Amino acid sequence: MTQLDHQVHSISPDVAGTKVFRFISFLYGIAAYLMFLVTILYAIGFIMGMVVPKSIDTGTDSSAIEAVTINLLLMALFAVQHSVMARQQFKAWWTQFVPKPVERSTYVLLASLSLLLLFWQWRPLPAIIWEVQDPDVAVTIVTLSFAGWVLVFTSTFLINHFELFGLQQVTQQLVDKQASPPRFRTPLFYKFVRHPLYLGFIIAIWAAPTMTVGHLLFASVITLYILLGIMLEERDLVALFGDEYRQYKQRVSMLIPWRRSV
Ligand SMILES: C[S@@+](CC[C@H](N)C(=O)[O-])C[C@H]1O[C@@H](n2cnc3c(N)ncnc32)[C@H](O)[C@@H]1O
């Protein structure tokens, strides 16, 4: 058991251990997961400009300065919430107030809410940077973007989809099973790059047949955020898995499959 596991919970073990509490936690975990599903599906439509009522290139008209400021603030809110709450030190602190089995679901719920706020309040910057005229090339680019999303989803299942989105934790608590410790995995895509899920995101957000200033701002900031996120995540992964992860870093490249240690 690590030092972090010894944190005190403000909800007493008696209450946290009751069947009612465990069942409510389970329902909460399912609600958070459904919220995540709605958010990620909306995200695909928002970024690709398909199906959803408000996309990255539609919404309230505003001056360029106002649009850039609001959009940067929305992305900063998501980035801070998403990164800070994912750190081990933060988890150790806030599981004094939030019971451990619902910690991940709460994280997923808040990340979904901050993304939905971004989609809702995002200001379009519709000036066009590039627009592909050839319909075949345009279809190929859209297909590449879909492939990026498929890579994102597949990677979550390769790592552990249900643990990543909190369902495993609330289910284990419901059936009174010990939480399983994190395991180092390198299945399939993880043999070629260390971060296939993030690579999928990068492909999905950049593969656009029409690139507006707003979309470019989004893609650029999210890409920088992903690179920063990788640094923080890898620091945690080295702390968690030690030499196993250090050797993995030497063996397998970060994002680009054909180069090592990039
Ligand atoms: C959103 S996932 C992204 C995984 C990876 N960065 C990627 O892009 O495919 C983040 C979680 O995956 C975990 N993780 C990342 N690489 C891992 C690996 N090789 N084995 C086990 N867990 C891993 C991290 O600890 C973190 O909890």
Side-chain angles (χ1 to χ4, degrees), residues 131-144:
E131 187 164 31
V132 173
Q133 301 296 340
D134 185 321
D136 291 339
V137 178
V139 168
T140 307
I141 294 174
V142 171
T143 309
L144 186 62

Side-chain angles (χ1 to χ4, degrees), residues 91 104 155 159 163-164 183-186 190 194-199 230 233 236-237 240-241 245 248:
K91 287 186 196 177
R104 189 71 190 176
S155 302
I159 277 284
E163 199 256 337
L164 216 48
R183 275 180 41 221
F184 175 61
R185 295 158 200 263
T186 59
Y190 286 84
R194 303 198 295 275
H195 302 282
L197 192 153
Y198 298 149
L199 176 63
I230 288 177
E233 185 176 309
D236 285 352
L237 285 163
L240 201 59
F241 300 119
Y245 200 83
Y248 180 55

